[in-house]
Every structure is written in structure tokens, then in C-alpha cells.
Amino acid sequence: MKIHYECIACAVNQAQKIVEMSTEDVAQRKRAMLFIAQRLGEFFREDSIPATDGGRLFLELYAFLGNDDPFGEYKRISTELARDVAEDIGRVDDLRTALKLAIAGNLIDFAVGYDPKKIEEDVLSLASQELYIDHSNELFSELGNAKSLLYLVDNCGEIYFDRIFIERICEEFPGLKVYVAAKEGPIINDATVEDLREARFDEIAKVVSTGSRLPGTPLEYASSEFLRLFERVDVIIAKGQANFETLSDLKDPRIFFLLKAKCNPISRELGVPRGSMVCVRGKY
Amino acid sequence: MKIHYECIACAVNQAQKIVEMSTEDVAQRKRAMLFIAQRLGEFFREDSIPATDGGRLFLELYAFLGNDDPFGEYKRISTELARDVAEDIGRVDDLRTALKLAIAGNLIDFAVGYDPKKIEEDVLSLASQELYIDHSNELFSELGNAKSLLYLVDNCGEIYFDRIFIERICEEFPGLKVYVAAKEGPIINDATVEDLREARFDEIAKVVSTGSRLPGTPLEYASSEFLRLFERVDVIIAKGQANFETLSDLKDPRIFFLLKAKCNPISRELGVPRGSMVCVRGKY
């Protein structure tokens, strides 16, 4: 997905959030935002992919700020909260409900003074809602015929809900070889391979790195090892907006995007109302 | 006032609003926001004045969009609403209440499906609140000794509340020569000299142009005629944030800033909580 007009302001607003999470010093914040003003035009062009080029800009901002993980504390709190809630939910018997739970996990912003009881209610209530586009039957049918699945996670806390879904997939399709991929290092609130290991994904799947810290799965920045895996797997589940942004142009029927259309560009691209939850096949 | 770190994202968000008000065509919106991304660094530097340099950027954006007044329709609706409410309020006997009414007028965003009855309630309720910094006694004492007053207005709708205040000033200080200044041409939702004439300011004061379309009163862009007036008047009342941004560095004791600190940079600069209403003397 190429950049939409709203992506510019969104990236600048995210940059400001990064700066605020990085330092309390208003003089340093000002230097950093002036740096963003100077560099913005280099990163955003007609054909930019918002997640990729925004991510590249953010990594330059991290270097400028001398802070390699501004969201570190936010991620730590989110992870604890999500883990507690996921433990409480335990297992989900129905595969489609588990799929919707994984999408619902993506909606919840865990680290804003959120009561775990309330998170649990919200996640379960969202998981009971209908999908606006629902290719999950096709997904499950493909999984029934597949030998391998690559699962691309998105944010840190939500991986505990991905884990519940993946466990259910492993039970339903016991012959399936499952790979779960996350980022090589920290970028905004995305899950890293380290986060996957901490969440004990090693016990249920093979944990792999995209080879890049960029949000989503921009193949031109992936490691050759990851690329080989990506090319040979039978089915790919891609969670969240950044994975959609970086992979939707492939029109690859192996990919199933699981996301909530949180912003206008994504909902415009998918042709769904903003806020819709979807499970949409790559070639749709 | 020099730029603060939040001003960059704020300017980009305002640019997006301008673009959205200008055209429904998403392709044109995208080209315009990419133009902003390319030009941003030219306008925002260490010493930028947010209103001035943001305003210069917006005027370039107007030219790029081929739309000289994107807020035209918004301003028309705001003006009608504010005029009706001000007519309903009629006259205000107490000078300080009239001053606070003028500040309160600045707070209300008139054109968002607002019920006139509700506007009236909100404006009057705000006008009954205390000022966080209150140099109004000094202002009235200066006006008692002055021969001339220059009143710098801010947004379009609120000028109808300024008019009530100015009428009260004229009654209280009948010897005073009053000049009311607005922008030479449209910029965002600022009042122009044409708006002042439409609101019949000619009947109570001398209407003048700053000689510039830029928000606030950036003297380096003012006409020489305006500059001569600015230099010779005894007292200046400057409404709103943009006038504060462009004139606060002068530390001119003739100036009294009347505003609500709507954003963090302004409240940080004034040392008041965000949301405070103030009447603060230039040399404070």
C-alpha cells in the first residue's frame, strides 16, 4: 500500500510521541522535531510505503535522540498487562473465535492506565463481533492442505493473544510446521524476536526474525534467510496495519491479513468502514 | 515567541485541515501533503515564529492548491452564528466582563454544528470565569490616560464579541481614538479588513489592515503605513495566540495580550496552566 495523504501528519504525530517518550528536556525535544521537519521530505514521496518509510525515519530519529528503544517502558507495562489477561482467558476452543481474539488484541492499547479486568471484557467483546470481510473459512481450508505457516506478529502486548490463536491452530492442524516472525530489534511498540521468546513462543513454533527492525514486513529490507522462508511457506498470516501496508501490493493469495482498519487510509484501501475488523486474503 | 517542539506537528495537522477543506480529491490532497513534507524544513528553524512561518507555509500551500481561501465557507457560517449570538447578548455594562467576553469569543469554534443558544451559554459562562493573569486594571488605567488604542483582532466570528468590548471602551473613554486592525487577505480562519467592514466596525473605530495576510502581527511583514500607526499609538490590545506569538518578544508595555492559552507552547511560555484565560501586559 502506497502512502495516503493522511500518512504525513500521522508520521509527524508519531515522531512527536517518540520524542516525548524519549526525553523530558524540551530543548532536546525541539531539536529532534526540527530534525524531523528537515528530513521529512526525504522519506515521504509519491511511492512511499508509510510503515517502511515512516519506520526508516523513526530509526533515524532514535539515532538522533541517542535512544534505541523509546517505547521500552511502555512495552514492558503493555506486555505484563496483556500476559495477565491472556493467562486469565486461557484457551479458546473455537478456531474462528481465537482468530478474532488475535485481531481484538491489536485494538487494545494496553499501557494507558488500563484495568486488566476491563481489557479482558473489551477483548472478549470485540472477539464476539462479526468480521466485515471474512475469508477465515478459506484460511482454515488452506491451513488444512498446508505443510507450513508463517505468522507475522505486530505489537508487543497482543502477541499473547496471537499465542492463544497459534496454539489452537497447532491443535487443529497437527501436521503444520509453524514459524512466527517478529522484528530484529525495537521499533515503536512492535514485538521483537526477544519478546516472542519471553512469551515462550519457542514451545509452540519456530521463532524467526524478519531480519529488519522496520514495522511490518518490508521484503526489500528483510534478511535473505527470512526471504527464503517467506518464499517457501504455504500460508502466511499477517497481523496488523503495518504488515498490510508492506505486503498488500504483492497480491499474494498465500497471505491472509488480520487487522482492524484503525485509520482512514487502511479503510479506504480495503473499501471497508473505519473500525472494521477483517480477515482478508492477499489476492482479494 | 519562538517555536516550541509541539509546533511542527501542529502546523502539519493544520496543513492537513487546510487540504481537506480545499478539495475532496484524495489524489490532490496527497500531492499537497507531499508538498508540505518537502517544504516543511525550509519554514521551521530554531528561531521560527510559529504563526509567521506556519502562515508563510500555509500561503504557499494555498498557491499550490490553487485555492485562495479554503476556510471561506467555514468563516461564512462562523460569522453568521457569532453575529446572531452577539446581537442576542447586545450590550455589556461592565468593562471587565466585556473584556472577558472578547476572550471567551476566541475559545468557541463556531462552525461545527453548534447550536446558537449553546454558544451563547458557553460564551457567557466563560466570561464569568476568573482570569489566571489579570492586568486588566492596568489596561483600563492606561486607556484612561491614552489618546489612541490599536486593537488587533484574531479570528472571524469572535470579532462580533470584540465589537461589544470596543463599544464599551468607546463609551468609557470617549476621547480615545480607536483603530482596529485585521489581515489584508484570508489566512486560515482569521478576520480580514473586509470582515471588519462587514461587521460595521467602521461605525465605532478606524479599520486598518496590518498590510499582511500572515496570522498575528509580524511587524517584518507589515505595511509601512501600519508600522507608523503601530509605533505611535499609546495602547495596544492584541487578541489570541498568533498575536502573542508575533509580538511577545517585543516586551512592549503598551501591549496587552488577551487570550486563552489553548496549547502547551503558549501556556509554557506564559507559565500558566493550559486552558487559562489571561489579560497580560507585554512587559510582564
Side-chain angles (χ1 to χ4, degrees):
Chain A
M1 175 191 129
K2 303 289 188 296
I3 195 173
H4 286 231
Y5 82 88
E6 298 98 328
C7 301
I8 312 276
C10 179
V12 176
N13 289 325
Q14 279 189 73
Q16 181 172 318
K17 202 168 162 188
I18 289 169
V19 167
E20 287 171 338
M21 284 182 140
S22 229
T23 174
E24 294 288 322
D25 178 350
V26 289
Q28 205 196 338
R29 286 181 177 181
K30 177 172 165 175
R31 282 191 295 275
M33 289 308 294
L34 285 168
F35 170 80
I36 290 293
Q38 296 302 323
R39 304 297 303 275
L40 196 64
E42 279 175 54
F43 291 88
F44 289 109
R45 311 244 172 206
E46 189 70 25
D47 281 343
S48 291
I49 304 289
T52 309
D53 296 300
R56 288 170 55 228
L57 177 63
F58 298 160
L59 285 177
E60 289 225 5
L61 180 60
Y62 284 16
F64 184 89
L65 289 160
N67 186 335
D68 206 44
D69 188 13
F71 279 68
E73 178 62 11
Y74 171 96
K75 286 174 62 179
R76 202 185 54 72
I77 299 168
S78 297
T79 296
E80 275 178 22
L81 269 170
R83 189 178 50 209
D84 290 351
V85 173
E87 256 172 34
D88 224 42
I89 292 175
R91 61 169 273 135
V92 175
D93 288 323
D94 176 54
L95 199 55
R96 277 188 75 250
T97 305
L99 176 147
K100 289 197 283 180
L101 182 70
I103 300 178
N106 182 247
L107 311 184
I108 309 290
D109 201 348
F110 295 105
V112 281
Y114 216 153
D115 170 21
K117 213 65 222 145
K118 181 81 174 65
I119 296 181
E120 190 171 329
E121 276 171 37
D122 288 355
V123 170
L124 291 175
S125 141
L126 285 165
S128 72
Q129 288 176 23
E130 286 304 301
L131 300 179
Y132 197 90
I133 303 175
D134 186 356
H135 298 158
S136 61
N137 285 337
E138 286 183 49
L139 167 62
F140 300 144
S141 148
E142 292 293 334
L143 286 176
N145 300 321
K147 290 197 172 62
S148 55
L149 165 68
L150 172 61
Y151 193 105
L152 307 169
V153 299
D154 188 16
N155 301 330
C156 56
E158 80 180 83
I159 58 174
Y160 288 87
F161 303 97
D162 293 319
R163 200 179 190 282
I164 293 176
F165 180 36
I166 293 170
E167 281 179 324
R168 193 68 204 82
I169 289 174
C170 291
E171 285 167 13
E172 191 84 13
F173 309 100
L176 202 64
K177 172 78 186 167
V178 180
Y179 301 87
V180 183
K183 306 328 174 259
E184 179 67 24
I187 183 74
I188 47 175
N189 66 335
D190 281 28
T192 63
V193 278
E194 214 180 298
D195 295 325
L196 288 185
R197 294 213 175 90
E198 196 190 307
R200 298 182 291 107
F201 274 74
D202 284 319
E203 296 170 6
I204 53 166
K206 184 158 170 54
V207 170
V208 297
S209 161
T210 62
S212 156
R213 287 173 67 172
L214 295 175
T217 311
L219 297 180
E220 64 276 33
Y221 293 93
S223 64
S224 53
E225 196 187 338
F226 178 81
L227 275 182
R228 276 196 300 277
L229 173 67
F230 187 90
E231 278 157 22
R232 78 157 198 271
V233 290
D234 300 320
V235 179
I236 296 166
I237 292 176
K239 283 285 304 289
Q241 298 201 157
N243 278 318
F244 178 78
E245 290 175 31
T246 48
L247 296 172
S248 61
D249 286 348
L250 297 178
K251 306 284 178 201
D252 187 332
R254 295 176 306 155
I255 308 179
F256 290 82
F257 296 104
L258 268 53
L259 60 92
K260 169 147 168 156
K262 292 180 192 171
C263 69
N264 288 334
I266 300 277
S267 62
R268 191 182 295 131
E269 197 81 17
L270 283 163
V272 303
R274 185 168 165 174
S276 309
M277 302 202 291
V278 300
C279 165
V280 60
R281 195 166 190 171
K283 197 170 178 176
Y284 54 92
Chain B
M1 174 190 129
K2 302 289 188 294
I3 195 174
H4 286 232
Y5 82 89
E6 297 98 328
C7 301
I8 311 276
C10 179
V12 176
N13 289 325
Q14 279 189 75
Q16 181 172 319
K17 202 169 161 187
I18 289 168
V19 167
E20 287 171 337
M21 285 181 140
S22 231
T23 173
E24 294 288 322
D25 178 348
V26 289
Q28 205 195 339
R29 286 181 177 180
K30 177 172 164 175
R31 282 191 295 274
M33 288 308 294
L34 285 167
F35 170 80
I36 290 293
Q38 296 301 325
R39 305 296 304 274
L40 195 64
E42 277 175 55
F43 290 88
F44 289 110
R45 312 242 171 209
E46 188 70 26
D47 281 343
S48 292
I49 304 290
T52 310
D53 296 300
R56 288 170 55 228
L57 178 62
F58 298 159
L59 285 178
E60 290 226 3
L61 180 60
Y62 284 16
F64 184 89
L65 290 161
N67 186 334
D68 206 43
D69 188 13
F71 279 68
E73 178 61 10
Y74 170 97
K75 286 174 64 178
R76 201 186 54 72
I77 298 168
S78 297
T79 296
E80 275 178 22
L81 269 170
R83 189 179 51 208
D84 290 352
V85 174
E87 257 172 34
D88 224 43
I89 293 175
R91 60 169 275 136
V92 176
D93 288 324
D94 176 55
L95 199 54
R96 277 189 74 251
T97 305
L99 176 147
K100 289 197 282 179
L101 182 70
I103 300 178
N106 183 246
L107 310 184
I108 308 291
D109 201 348
F110 296 104
V112 280
Y114 216 152
D115 170 20
K117 212 68 221 145
K118 181 81 174 65
I119 296 181
E120 189 171 330
E121 275 172 37
D122 288 354
V123 170
L124 291 175
S125 141
L126 284 164
S128 72
Q129 288 175 23
E130 285 304 300
L131 300 179
Y132 197 90
I133 303 174
D134 187 356
H135 298 160
S136 63
N137 285 337
E138 285 182 50
L139 168 62
F140 301 143
S141 147
E142 293 294 334
L143 286 176
N145 300 321
K147 289 197 173 60
S148 56
L149 164 68
L150 172 60
Y151 194 105
L152 307 169
V153 299
D154 188 17
N155 301 331
C156 57
E158 80 179 83
I159 59 173
Y160 289 86
F161 302 96
D162 293 319
R163 200 181 190 281
I164 294 176
F165 180 35
I166 293 169
E167 281 179 324
R168 194 68 204 84
I169 289 173
C170 291
E171 285 166 14
E172 191 85 14
F173 310 100
L176 203 62
K177 173 77 185 167
V178 180
Y179 302 86
V180 183
K183 309 319 177 266
E184 179 66 24
I187 183 75
I188 47 176
N189 66 335
D190 281 28
T192 63
V193 278
E194 213 180 298
D195 295 324
L196 288 185
R197 295 211 175 92
E198 197 190 308
R200 299 182 291 108
F201 274 75
D202 284 319
E203 297 171 5
I204 53 165
K206 185 160 171 51
V207 170
V208 296
S209 161
T210 61
S212 156
R213 287 174 66 173
L214 295 175
T217 311
L219 297 180
E220 65 276 33
Y221 293 93
S223 64
S224 53
E225 196 187 339
F226 178 81
L227 275 181
R228 277 196 300 276
L229 173 68
F230 187 90
E231 278 157 22
R232 78 158 197 270
V233 291
D234 299 321
V235 179
I236 297 166
I237 292 176
K239 283 285 305 291
Q241 296 201 158
N243 277 318
F244 178 78
E245 290 175 32
T246 48
L247 296 171
S248 61
D249 287 349
L250 296 178
K251 307 284 178 201
D252 186 332
R254 294 177 306 156
I255 308 178
F256 290 82
F257 296 104
L258 268 53
L259 60 93
K260 169 146 167 157
K262 291 180 192 171
C263 70
N264 288 333
I266 300 278
S267 62
R268 191 182 295 131
E269 198 81 14
L270 282 164
V272 302
R274 185 167 164 175
S276 309
M277 302 201 291
V278 300
C279 165
V280 60
R281 195 166 191 172
K283 196 171 179 176
Y284 55 93

